[in-house]
Amino acid sequence: MKPPVFEYHRPASLTEAVDMLGGLENARLLAGGQSLMPMLAMRFAFPDHLIDLNRIPALAGIAEDGGTLRVGAMTRQRDLLDHPVVRARLPMLAEALEQVGHRQTRNRGTVGGSLCHLDPAAELVAVATALDAELEIAGPRGARTLPMAAFPLGFMTPALEPDELLTGLRFALPALPQGACFTEFARRHGDYAIVSAAAILWPRDGRIGRASITLGGVGPVPVRLEAAEAALAGQRADAESFAAAAACCGALDPMDDAQVPAWYRRRLAATLVRRALTTAWERADVR
Amino acid sequence: MSAEPVRTVAFGVNGETREATIPVRRTLGDVLRHDFGLTGTHLGCEHGVCGACTVLLDGRAVRACLMLAVQAEGHEIRTVEGLADAAGALHPLQQAFCDHHGLQCGFCTPGMLTTLVEFLADCPDPTAAQVRVAISGNLCRCTGYESIVAAVLDAAARMRAA
Amino acid sequence: MTGFPDTRVLGRDVPRKEDPALIRGRGRFVDDIHLPGMLHAAFVRSPHAHAAITAIDTAAARAMPGVRAVFTLKDLAPHLTDTRLVVAMPSPAYRLELHRPVLAHSEVVHVGEAVAMVVADDPYRAEDAAAAVDVQYDPLPAIADCVAALRPGAPTAHAGAASNLVAEMVVEYGAVEAAFAGAALRIQKRLLVHRGGSHSMECRGLVAVPDPIEDRLTVWNSTQMPHACKRMLCDLLDLRETQVRVVTPDVGGGFGPKLVIYPEEVAVPLAARLCNRPVKWIEDRREHFVSTTQERDQAWDVELATDADGRILGVRGVLVHDHGAWTARGLNVPQGAVAAMPLAYLVPAFRMTIKVAATNKVPVTPIRGAGQPQGVFAMERLLDEAAAALGLTRDEIRRRNLVPAERMPYATPMRTRGGIAVTLDSGDYPLCQRMALDAADWTGFPARRGGGGAVRRGIGLSNYVECTGRGPFEHVSVRVEPSGRIVVATGAAAMGQSTATMLAQVVAEQLGADLGRVDVVTGDTAAAPIGLGGSNSRQAVLAGSSAHAAAVRVKAKVLEVAGELLEVSAQDLEIVDGMVRVLGVPGGGVSLGEVARAAAGQAGFVLPGTSGPALAASEEVVIDAMTYANGSCVAEVEVDTGTGAVRVVHLVFAHDCGRALHPRIVEGQLMGGIAHGIGNALYEFMAFDENAQPLTTTLAEYLLVTATEMPKVTILHHESPTPLNPLGIKGVGEAGVIPIGAAIASAVEDALRDYGVRIDRLPLSPVDVLALLDQSTVLPST
Ligand SMILES: Cc1cc2nc3c(=O)[nH]c(=O)nc-3n(C[C@H](O)[C@H](O)[C@H](O)COP(=O)(O)OP(=O)(O)OC[C@H]3O[C@@H](n4cnc5c(N)ncnc54)[C@H](O)[C@@H]3O)c2cc1C
Ligand code: FES
Ligand code: FES
């Protein structure tokens, strides 16, 4: 399990990285390496060139900017998890990050790497979708932004041209009172989720004003449970409404694999939606 | 690609600057072990799951099998060989592992120790549950972990008292 | 624990001798060995579960940078006396001879089978070249499932074989038919038990060093069996015993598979001789998943007969066992499984038919527990079912059947695979069960069960008896050097279970109680002429007994010679630390080193004492009968009916392994086994698809228990010293794993009792649990 031969490049700036990415044949970006290095060791990937993003200071860092939190693509998952603004204003993001791998992988793994790797079960992919993050992308044709919902094109396929890279993302800091919960089911602590559910409830007059429900792990890309969201609007926040919302999972058409059949993911999704909604409501400031 | 690209790298290892000219694809784990002779860092899976290869990179616990050695350029690495003090006295965690039978075959031990050095620096007064989470990325097939958790709680108490 | 009442180091938690090096990262594992000019081997492995090899082209690989040689079987055969590894333990039951080749040449029969070997300057380049070896395969139908393998018309795992039936055996005693005919209750069950791989954290590996000057070969090998490995090398490479040395360095865990001799262990030393350079091969984790032996599927069709009071009248059934593609060791796993089944109980009549099926999967050999967890699972599942049918509690039906303490030693009607009578030597099984029940507050459980929410709580119980200390002997020599140091050498091999500490304790107890003075050499064929190595929880029992006997002899010699030097009677002397002195008189005396020097003799002078030169003795205490350890386990679990997850809340483990040489090491061994048992019950599953392609080949897919999955564990000790060895000890290396699956299954069934489901398989994944709930026709009361 040793990586195959490749050439190694270490750009010092974003421009240099973009130039390399556009100029080199069969090149691959190396971020935290927590997914790419195992793929190299198992010889599932054979890049001719690795472009190491770890020496580009502008790509890392977290800044609060008006009503948004801007996170550089090369920000380590651990740094985002520890950030006081995340803890205080985006607790659901912290809740999700705590379940991404382990201390050692979060110390090295990056936010951008997780989003671009786009594992269907990745917590960050689900939570960035739930939080409607906005992605910043750079390439030879300049910079552009994209809502997270439009980023996953299919199974592990981000909406990036081969010569583009993700430079950062922005989270809107919540203005209205809300309750949020990210919950997942994984076999062991730190494993990828089999299914994850992110629920946000905005209370209005003691009832549910608006609801957002996002599922990870049920399809190749995150799924918004729109039918349930619509059904919950204006409802009383009780076990009955939450069970009805969870029942919407019956219509999901999840992935089927040797270890985890589709029916199980569907059942799990229903359980997690119900539990996420219940906890989100407990956390919502209804008084 | 056939010709094997190489680079000369220099980085700190346990307080000394080490230099080597190596193929760029060599992992940090292999370079520490086979180029620098620091065989205390073990490789149990080479795909990032077992934690045996954990070293400290500028004080943070990372998998040495998931880094290229060339990426360590200019950084400071600390391995299990660098945990005892200059006079050779064991780190309190090492002593506690011996006292509590926290190691059997000892293969997972270096990765456990390096992970825990960082953890106790972040969290000097942990609960047993926090210790379990801290080492959830380190596999041990021998101990069942109980003795390791006991050792960490004891070491933490000793370090707070010191 | 009562331990050893009048001892200085035996039975005490002394610091381990292994720790000082390991804790500083200064161990010497096989991959830590570096030699000048060393080359690295990599293997080309079959991607097919079953295929004919039509051509192997190594030209491209040979031409790659850094490549020194590429070998196929054709290249190796002229240098081998046999191209097959004949390692099967004897049995008349074989129907198929399945000795595996050193490298596959005409047919591959499992994914991962080695086909060719590349030797290169570094492991990266060796791996590059291995990928460039062009092997042409003609795929053949593969058989994955052991039950399907025995159906008529099933594809055969080996082309041209008459069938997949490797062996068929019957283990039988008593009047089985009569027992069933007259029974008030008969219970029948079909059970499926899967155990996975061993997954020691260190994979396999070896370094072979040729010495062209003296035409010798030294092999550092991460093995549990250095002497067997040496024998195989002498046989296959046609070398004399004096030419080969096999040394086991520090071993990063064994757990069974490292007692097998593998193709790589012959191919790599031969490559070293052919290249005339040291050659290293370190198995990587992916190879470990497809080439290191495993324990996998067993299908049990079993029946239990009891009288109206729940007393067992008989057990019968058929066990179908997945053998894998080759006989890499023998039939001992299914034999061990069946033997373990009735041991804890009075079972007057017993007949189990064992059918061993070849499949196109990695060969099966013992993993920690060696079939016994499966046998215990089968028995305990039957007992739970019988208790329910009779309206007895699960503890009561066991109490009525456990072998009572007053019947010890109890000669069962069984024999071991070696034909030796099975006599339960000591123990109080009902007491262990009571200890476990009390510590788990079994009677108070109904109050903890709670209501009928999404999370259900249950409790379960199991008992086991484990055969340990497989004889016939282990070699140990003890010598006091003129420096005053004590050297202990043994054929036993260490793999993390503190063998050096244990032997040092036994020897130091006799020779001054200073552990720092004792050097222990394990697993080196140059230091011990013979040895059986590490398996069957045997090291403490066999090597410990020999060490004790040898140390007692050396002590007598020390006292005799010292007596002469000091002109006092030997009876009035004692050894304390490094000094031999008059009993209770500190200061004075003579040092162990001086005694050793005197005993070494001088040309022309008469030797002191009457028992010959040197302070040395070696022993191979022969103990044929095995000693039987026992225990009881209570598991309390929570089952989440929304996810299917099972969480173990508390495990109580009450056991008896005779006297404990080092209580903390005993607990460590048990705890490791318990974690392994939880893995086998709930997490570990070596999955293959229907074409025998492995599906779980990374540690992210094959789930080992981590610290966050471990429950609260309470271990209780009872000590019934065995009369079979002078120290009164029984083996403990595997005990932890044996009853866990059975106890957890019992607890899960109890937790889901409102649903009326039966737990008839292990491991139990969350998917399995929800599937069971879905199939349940009983509506739970919520
Ligand atoms: C033991 C273990 C457990 C883990 N558990 C989890 C888990 O529970 N949940 C989870 O989500 N993840 C888990 N991971 C994966 C981890 O989160 C990775 O950090 C993440 O998937 C990839 O991030 P990275 O920075 O390491 O990226 P890399 O591995 O360096 O790159 C991943 C991919 O993204 C591309 N890429 C990286 N950065 C950019 C960029 N800026 N623009 C464009 N493309 C880019 C790379 O080219 C590569 O294809 C685990 C990993 C390990 C080793
Ligand atoms: S060797 Fe690096 S995590 Fe296993
Ligand atoms: S002590 Fe052996 S793997 Fe942990």
Side-chain angles (χ1 to χ4, degrees), chain A residues 53-193:
Chain A
L53 299 179
N54 286 278
R55 307 273 168 158
I56 305 175
L59 280 181
I62 305 169
E64 193 181 343
D65 170 11
T68 64
L69 189 73
R70 201 251 167 206
V71 182
M74 285 301 292
T75 304
R76 308 287 169 194
Q77 292 154 8
R78 187 257 172 97
D79 291 322
L80 190 59
L81 173 59
D82 285 353
H83 200 274
V85 174
V86 172
R87 294 268 175 197
R89 316 246 346 242
L90 294 168
M92 183 167 77
L93 179 56
E95 197 169 18
L97 278 162
E98 266 166 3
Q99 304 183 61
V100 177
H102 310 278
R103 160 174 289 269
Q104 302 101 325
T105 67
R106 291 192 299 268
N107 274 341
R108 195 74 194 146
T110 66
V111 177
S114 179
L115 294 179
C116 295
H117 186 63
L118 211 61
D119 190 292
E123 289 82 356
L124 269 169
V125 173
V127 79
T129 307
L131 291 170
D132 287 323
E134 187 175 65
L135 306 190
E136 299 171 356
I137 294 163
R141 292 163 303 282
R144 64 183 176 110
T145 61
L146 195 68
M148 182 63 201
F151 189 61
L153 294 179
F155 180 71
M156 296 181 99
T157 315
L160 290 173
E161 296 299 325
D163 56 3
E164 285 184 322
L165 59 88
L166 181 71
T167 53
L169 67 162
R170 284 175 187 276
F171 294 101
L173 294 173
L176 297 171
Q178 53 169 250
C181 172
F182 180 92
T183 186
E184 71 172 45
F185 182 70
R187 292 301 308 278
R188 301 170 302 183
H189 181 92
D191 283 344
Y192 276 104

Side-chain angles (χ1 to χ4, degrees), chain C residues 374-394:
Chain C
Q374 297 94 308
V376 165
F377 178 76
M379 190 69 194
E380 299 294 313
R381 295 283 67 220
L382 286 169
L383 285 172
D384 276 7
E385 191 82 44
L390 292 166
L392 292 174
T393 61
R394 290 169 292 166

Side-chain angles (χ1 to χ4, degrees), chain B residues 102-109 112 139-143 148, chain C residues 200-202 251-253 255 495-496:
Chain B
L103 65 157
Q104 290 184 25
C105 78
F107 200 79
C108 68
T109 313
M112 290 278 181
L139 298 175
C140 172
R141 193 56 149 171
C142 298
T143 62
I148 296 178
Chain C
S200 52
M201 282 299 106
E202 180 203 34
V251 172
F255 311 115
M495 48 204 172

Side-chain angles (χ1 to χ4, degrees), chain C residues 121-489:
Chain C
D121 288 344
D122 86 78
Y124 289 67
R125 289 181 149 173
E127 201 171 319
D128 294 346
V133 172
D134 184 13
V135 186
Q136 298 288 318
Y137 296 99
D138 208 348
L140 294 167
I143 182 78
D145 178 70
C146 59
V147 175
L150 297 183
R151 292 199 189 112
T156 52
H158 291 260
S163 79
N164 292 314
L165 186 65
V166 178
E168 182 161 345
M169 309 164 265
V170 178
V171 178
E172 178 170 30
Y173 62 77
V176 180
E177 296 314 322
F180 275 83
L185 177 75
R186 283 194 233 165
I187 296 291
Q188 207 206 332
K189 273 193 165 290
R190 159 140 258 232
L191 305 166
L192 293 172
V193 204
H194 173 102
R195 295 191 71 215
S198 67
H199 291 288
S200 52
M201 282 299 106
E202 180 203 34
C203 294
R204 296 183 293 127
L206 66 155
V207 177
V209 189
D211 170 2
I213 300 170
E214 300 197 26
D215 193 21
R216 286 171 197 250
L217 179 66
T218 301
V219 180
W220 278 283
N221 189 355
S222 182
T223 179
Q224 298 170 219
M225 305 292 251
H227 287 85
C229 177
K230 171 177 168 168
R231 184 70 257 147
M232 182 62 70
L233 285 172
C234 289
D235 287 347
L236 290 184
L237 305 186
D238 198 16
L239 295 170
R240 293 186 305 280
E241 296 244 334
T242 50
Q243 288 177 285
V244 180
R245 175 183 175 208
V246 178
V247 194
T248 303
D250 285 328
V251 172
F255 311 115
K258 288 184 183 174
L259 60 77
V260 172
I261 310 277
Y262 291 85
E264 297 91 346
E265 290 169 64
V266 176
V268 171
L270 177 51
R273 279 172 69 81
L274 294 175
C275 296
N276 217 347
R277 294 268 290 268
V279 177
K280 177 190 270 191
W281 171 69
I282 301 299
E283 180 189 57
D284 66 36
R285 184 60 61 179
R286 217 164 23 151
E287 289 181 291
H288 189 82
F289 274 104
V290 295
S291 69
T292 290
T293 54
Q294 307 169 347
E295 236 185 65
R296 286 185 311 267
D297 303 340
Q298 291 190 339
W300 296 68
D301 278 301
V302 277
E303 276 184 278
L304 173 77
T306 74
D307 67 14
D309 296 329
R311 294 211 160 71
I312 298 171
L313 301 173
V315 170
R316 69 182 175 194
V318 178
L319 164 61
V320 176
H321 169 81
D322 177 357
H323 184 70
W326 297 111
T327 301
R329 176 98 179 138
L331 306 172
N332 45 344
V333 174
Q335 285 171 328
V338 163
M341 208 184 162
L343 274 186
Y345 303 102
L346 295 168
V347 179
F350 185 82
R351 186 181 64 232
M352 281 295 297
T353 302
I354 301 173
K355 294 183 180 180
V356 178
T359 57
N360 290 111
K361 297 193 278 188
V362 184
V364 164
T365 71
I367 306 290
R368 190 177 213 165
Q372 297 173 103
Q374 297 94 308
V376 165
F377 178 76
M379 190 69 194
E380 299 294 313
R381 295 283 67 220
L382 286 169
L383 285 172
D384 276 7
E385 191 82 44
L390 292 166
L392 292 174
T393 61
R394 290 169 292 166
D395 50 320
E396 179 57 27
I397 195 166
R398 288 170 171 81
R399 206 171 289 124
R400 291 183 187 181
N401 288 289
L402 282 167
V403 177
E406 57 275 15
R407 302 264 310 249
M408 295 293 171
Y410 173 63
T412 76
M414 296 243 282
R415 301 201 154 263
T416 69
R417 64 176 191 238
I420 298 160
V422 171
T423 298
L424 304 175
D425 45 316
S426 64
D428 188 339
Y429 304 173
L431 174 66
C432 273
Q433 172 169 312
R434 193 161 67 242
M435 287 165 64
L437 294 173
D438 289 350
D441 187 20
W442 176 270
T443 46
F445 179 74
R448 295 196 296 282
R449 185 185 291 278
V455 176
R456 304 290 177 116
R457 213 171 241 252
I459 196 163
L461 162 71
S462 69
N463 292 302
Y464 73 93
V465 169
E466 182 200 5
C467 73
T468 76
R470 195 177 297 279
F473 73 89
E474 190 49 82
H475 168 91
V476 177
S477 69
V478 176
R479 182 162 38 91
V480 182
E481 294 187 331
S483 62
R485 297 199 65 77
I486 301 162
V487 180
V488 181

